[in-house]
Amino acid sequence: MKATINDVARLAGVSKKTVSRVINRSPLLSDATRERVQTVIDELGYVPNPQARALALGRNFLIGLIHDNPNSQMVLGVQQGILDALHGTDFELVVRPVDRRSPAMLDDVRAFLERQRLFGVVLLPPISENDALARLCEESGCRYTRMGSAMLDTPDRMVASDDQDAVKAATEYLIAQGHRRIGLVEGPQGFRSAKERRIGFEAALAEAGIDLPKGYMTQGDYTFASGLEAARRLLDRSPRPTAIFASNDEMAAGVLHAARQRGLSIPEDLSIVGFDDTAIAAHIWPPLSTVRWPILQMAYSAAVKLIGDAGDDDGPGKQSRFPSALVRRASVAPPPQE
Amino acid sequence: MKATINDVARLAGVSKKTVSRVINRSPLLSDATRERVQTVIDELGYVPNPQARALALGRNFLIGLIHDNPNSQMVLGVQQGILDALHGTDFELVVRPVDRRSPAMLDDVRAFLERQRLFGVVLLPPISENDALARLCEESGCRYTRMGSAMLDTPDRMVASDDQDAVKAATEYLIAQGHRRIGLVEGPQGFRSAKERRIGFEAALAEAGIDLPKGYMTQGDYTFASGLEAARRLLDRSPRPTAIFASNDEMAAGVLHAARQRGLSIPEDLSIVGFDDTAIAAHIWPPLSTVRWPILQMAYSAAVKLIGDAGDDDGPGKQSRFPSALVRRASVAPPPQE
DNA sequence: TTGTAGGCGTTATCAC
DNA sequence: GTGATAACGCCTACAA
């Protein structure tokens, strides 16, 4: 019912191999035959069977997205970016969540890669920070691109933002508004992004000569609930911080929640800055000042690095570092008079 | 390097076909051979190659998720539910967004299905409401499950909530609080969910004998921005509505935004109810009363219907109708005194 | 520049 | 019950 390479070969009066050469753009092929075969291909509406190719090549035309991520907005953004890059190609996207804490995680991924013979995978933070995982991909003969908050790998397999810089700038912005008592809701232990963001935060304070009291730095795990909890601790301090930087938007939303529960006005009594610029940032009230992670572009670039779109070597595909930008919204104001 | 069916056959002293029978749980097979072969399989850690199976069977071990959805939270929830169902099976999830408005949509999907030879697909609303699409899946020999707000297909290929009922209950709740001027932010034209929810809304009003003034029903497109716009129109009415039901949470967040911009207090001046119970509902301030769509369970069930988990015939897999529940949070209060 | 033979790892057919 | 043999549709080596 569906045309195969044999049908094309027969009708074009050539061998299967020649058709194969046309499909795979082999350079050693006369223009005449190429054209003749191509005509038949078009007439028949022939499309090579991916299953057969996968078997013959030992490689599937699938791109995997491997993640273990507490932030759903980010996962979706990445999917969107990858799909944009894959659009119009023969590749499809396979989603594979894993459990970072499971001792079987590496074995699971290995089994997955070896079974499915993926063409390549995109690794999302925080699991992208796991060097053993990257090594495993390589061993399994699977290309990979890691996404992260700092360069953890060679540029051809890495797409990175500079969180340290971005948070430094965000903190400087708070300082410029007059804030001196600035609380931090840090991300979870073991996350590179959490570390980078804290370093940026501390760097800004140090440069401004601000010496933070004990207890102004607290930790969350990138969830709303943890932001809520952390904010309660911070708001119990005396004197209270006049501004809080949360390491991601979800926790920032939690901070806002906690502040409201205490009857504080935002930004009059407390300024808040988040990180990521996910949808929630613009949708809560007041709109949240935050750092925009160019997630779509990063994911797009990650996918392009895998499938190697030769079409735009100087285009977005070649980029490895992506700067983040501060987005100023209504959640920041000068501190209240004392 | 990796064991194949031939290795197993040789070591077990049987033919390939016999090994194949063991893998596929063929009933006509002596227990003795089955056991012998199974031992070798375990020793070698043999796993059948999915690419080869796909070629031989003309069918891939992939489940597709086809969607064109304005609501990212929902897409993620569905992915989660499907992946839960697929966990521990040989199936993988392939994500395929499509453009509802493109004239080439159906052809694209057909090409996708015929090329990839998916085992089955889950269709998300609103595209799941497209009967031509369902027919196309069938023609392509691809199983499917549709998710939706009402039964649009036979129970074995449908997973449905009862939005009409749920919204009726939610509206009755507002009425019971004393509200009489209740605004509606309807979903977009052509969405079955929008229609069902409006019908439920109107039914509750009719039963309570409330005759809504013109202009209290307005339309959005399920986005935050459209909720904002619609709320502005509603709040311009005189007399102003004392409560607003928005057909999804994102629009409800927009309503809240618009109300705040006018300096209204929620819920003192205006009560708001949303629909979906996505993450944003609990994270905005005040927390949003909403209708919980059991999306994880529905998606789980949709996947089970595809892969036919015989393990739990009476379990969640068999279910086709899923009731929604009202979630009461702080965004609703009695109307202000006049 | 093109064609032939053989293989990728599995399942289906049909004898034994 | 079990096993040769031939698909499945494509690709690589090697030969011409």
Side-chain angles (χ1 to χ4, degrees), chain A residues 29-338:
Chain A
L29 200 59
S30 79
D31 284 353
T33 31
R34 180 191 308 282
E35 211 161 300
R36 186 152 42 91
V37 173
Q38 188 61 53
T39 310
V40 178
I41 288 180
D42 293 343
E43 274 173 9
L44 260 49
Y46 164 72
V47 185
N49 177 319
Q51 285 78 42
R53 296 180 90 177
L55 180 57
L57 290 169
R59 176 156 304 293
N60 233 320
F61 279 35
L62 298 174
I63 298 295
L65 170 59
I66 298 184
H67 75 272
D68 170 15
N69 203 285
N71 184 339
S72 55
Q73 289 289 339
M74 183 166 146
V75 174
L76 262 191
V78 170
Q79 285 188 18
Q80 181 73 52
I82 296 177
L83 285 164
D84 285 348
L86 262 39
H87 189 83
T89 71
D90 289 340
F91 291 95
E92 299 292 338
L93 175 64
V94 174
V95 181
R96 182 76 182 194
V98 299
D99 181 356
R100 177 175 62 249
R101 270 155 285 189
S102 160
M105 188 275 285
L106 286 176
D107 286 336
D108 286 351
V109 173
R110 165 170 281 127
F112 171 61
L113 294 181
E114 291 184 349
R115 275 173 51 70
Q116 297 303 133
R117 303 281 182 94
L118 297 185
F119 188 88
V121 293
V122 174
L123 271 27
L124 264 200
I127 213 160
S128 62
E129 296 157 10
N130 187 329
D131 289 326
L133 181 61
R135 239 175 291 124
L136 188 156
C137 290
E138 186 151 33
E139 286 166 20
S140 304
C142 182
R143 316 181 58 162
Y144 67 88
T145 312
R146 301 161 81 169
M147 295 183 64
S149 313
M151 290 297 289
L152 310 163
D153 211 317
T154 52
D156 56 314
R157 16 175 78 166
M158 185 80 218
V159 164
S161 55
D162 190 337
D163 289 11
Q164 198 173 311
D165 245 39
V167 173
K168 183 154 176 279
T171 310
E172 283 164 352
Y173 169 58
L174 286 173
I175 294 169
Q177 295 283 311
H179 293 278
R180 291 298 175 270
R181 298 196 308 274
I182 307 175
L184 169 70
V185 183
E186 192 181 352
Q189 204 109 44
F191 280 47
R192 180 63 179 260
S193 59
K195 185 177 159 197
E196 294 289 326
R197 293 170 198 182
R198 175 171 47 70
I199 292 175
F201 178 78
E202 291 176 328
L205 292 182
E207 277 189 16
I210 297 176
D211 195 16
L212 221 54
K214 266 281 182 208
Y216 272 44
M217 289 174 54
T218 169
Q219 196 161 40
D221 61 7
Y222 282 158
T223 65
F224 177 84
S226 74
L228 191 68
E229 275 310 314
R232 285 180 181 148
R233 291 196 296 275
L234 286 176
L235 297 177
D236 278 341
R237 296 281 135 192
S238 177
R240 208 170 59 202
T242 61
I244 294 180
F245 171 76
S247 275
N248 76 350
D249 286 347
E250 265 199 60
M251 294 199 298
V255 171
L256 200 133
H257 225 94
R260 290 230 189 267
Q261 285 176 340
R262 306 222 167 174
L264 298 180
S265 296
I266 315 294
E268 292 78 8
D269 299 324
L270 180 74
S271 291
I272 304 177
V273 175
F275 197 105
D276 282 343
D277 196 27
T278 49
I280 197 172
H283 293 177
I284 58 180
W285 185 269
L288 187 67
S289 292
T290 185
V291 176
R292 174 173 296 153
W293 228 56
I295 195 153
L296 281 175
Q297 294 92 309
M298 285 176 71
Y300 180 93
S301 179
V304 168
K305 274 170 200 276
L306 287 179
I307 63 179
D309 184 2
D312 56 350
D313 263 2
D314 287 338
K318 285 297 262 189
Q319 201 174 335
S320 290
R321 315 201 63 127
F322 292 77
S324 304
L326 182 65
V327 180
R328 299 173 189 206
R329 297 208 183 90
S331 68
V332 173
Q337 306 296 326
E338 307 233 314

Side-chain angles (χ1 to χ4, degrees), chain A residues 5 16-17 20 46 48-49 53:
Chain A
I5 199 171
K16 291 164 42 164
K17 181 60 211 175
S20 172
Y46 164 72
N49 177 319
R53 296 180 90 177

Side-chain angles (χ1 to χ4, degrees), chain B:
Chain B
M1 61 180 271
K2 269 189 69 180
T4 76
I5 199 171
N6 288 306
D7 303 329
V8 177
R10 191 161 23 79
L11 264 74
V14 298
S15 74
K16 292 163 43 160
K17 183 60 205 175
T18 302
V19 179
S20 172
R21 288 201 178 92
V22 174
I23 298 169
N24 296 294
R25 295 182 169 65
S26 164
L28 14 75
L29 200 59
S30 79
D31 283 353
T33 32
R34 181 192 307 283
E35 210 162 300
R36 187 152 41 92
V37 172
Q38 188 60 54
T39 310
V40 177
I41 288 180
D42 294 343
E43 274 174 8
L44 260 48
Y46 164 72
V47 184
N49 177 319
Q51 285 78 43
R53 296 181 94 178
L55 179 57
L57 290 168
R59 175 157 304 295
N60 232 320
F61 280 37
L62 298 175
I63 299 295
L65 170 60
I66 299 186
H67 75 271
D68 170 14
N69 202 284
N71 184 339
S72 55
Q73 289 289 339
M74 183 167 145
V75 174
L76 260 191
V78 170
Q79 285 189 16
Q80 180 75 51
I82 296 177
L83 286 164
D84 284 349
L86 263 38
H87 190 84
T89 72
D90 289 342
F91 293 94
E92 300 293 337
L93 174 64
V94 174
V95 182
R96 182 74 181 194
V98 299
D99 182 357
R100 179 175 61 250
R101 271 155 284 189
S102 160
M105 190 274 285
L106 285 176
D107 287 336
D108 285 351
V109 173
R110 166 170 279 127
F112 171 61
L113 294 180
E114 291 185 349
R115 274 172 52 68
Q116 296 305 132
R117 303 280 182 94
L118 298 185
F119 187 89
V121 293
V122 175
L123 270 27
L124 265 199
I127 211 158
S128 64
E129 296 157 11
N130 186 329
D131 289 326
L133 180 61
R135 238 176 293 124
L136 188 155
C137 290
E138 186 150 32
E139 287 166 18
S140 305
C142 182
R143 316 181 58 162
Y144 67 87
T145 311
R146 300 161 81 169
M147 296 181 64
S149 313
M151 291 296 291
L152 309 164
D153 211 316
T154 53
D156 57 315
R157 14 176 79 167
M158 185 80 218
V159 164
S161 56
D162 190 337
D163 288 12
Q164 199 173 308
D165 245 38
V167 172
K168 183 154 175 278
T171 310
E172 282 164 353
Y173 169 59
L174 286 173
I175 294 170
Q177 294 284 312
H179 292 279
R180 291 297 174 272
R181 298 197 307 275
I182 308 175
L184 169 71
V185 182
E186 192 181 353
Q189 204 108 44
F191 280 47
R192 180 63 178 260
S193 59
K195 185 178 160 197
E196 294 288 327
R197 292 171 197 181
R198 175 171 48 70
I199 291 176
F201 178 78
E202 291 175 328
L205 293 181
E207 277 190 17
I210 297 176
D211 195 17
L212 221 54
K214 266 280 181 208
Y216 272 44
M217 290 173 53
T218 167
Q219 195 160 41
D221 62 5
Y222 281 158
T223 64
F224 176 84
S226 73
L228 191 68
E229 275 309 316
R232 285 182 182 147
R233 290 196 297 274
L234 287 176
L235 297 177
D236 278 343
R237 296 280 135 193
S238 178
R240 207 169 60 200
T242 61
I244 293 180
F245 171 76
S247 276
N248 75 351
D249 287 347
E250 264 199 60
M251 293 198 299
V255 171
L256 200 134
H257 225 96
R260 290 231 187 266
Q261 285 176 340
R262 305 222 169 173
L264 299 179
S265 295
I266 315 295
E268 291 78 8
D269 300 324
L270 181 74
S271 290
I272 303 177
V273 175
F275 197 106
D276 282 343
D277 196 28
T278 47
I280 197 171
H283 293 176
I284 57 180
W285 186 267
L288 186 68
S289 291
T290 185
V291 176
R292 174 173 297 153
W293 228 56
I295 194 152
L296 281 175
Q297 293 93 309
M298 286 177 71
Y300 180 93
S301 179
V304 168
K305 274 170 198 277
L306 287 180
I307 64 179
D309 185 2
D312 56 351
D313 263 1
D314 286 338
K318 285 297 262 189
Q319 202 174 336
S320 290
R321 315 201 63 125
F322 291 77
S324 303
L326 182 65
V327 181
R328 299 172 191 206
R329 296 209 184 91
S331 67
V332 173
Q337 307 295 327
E338 308 234 313

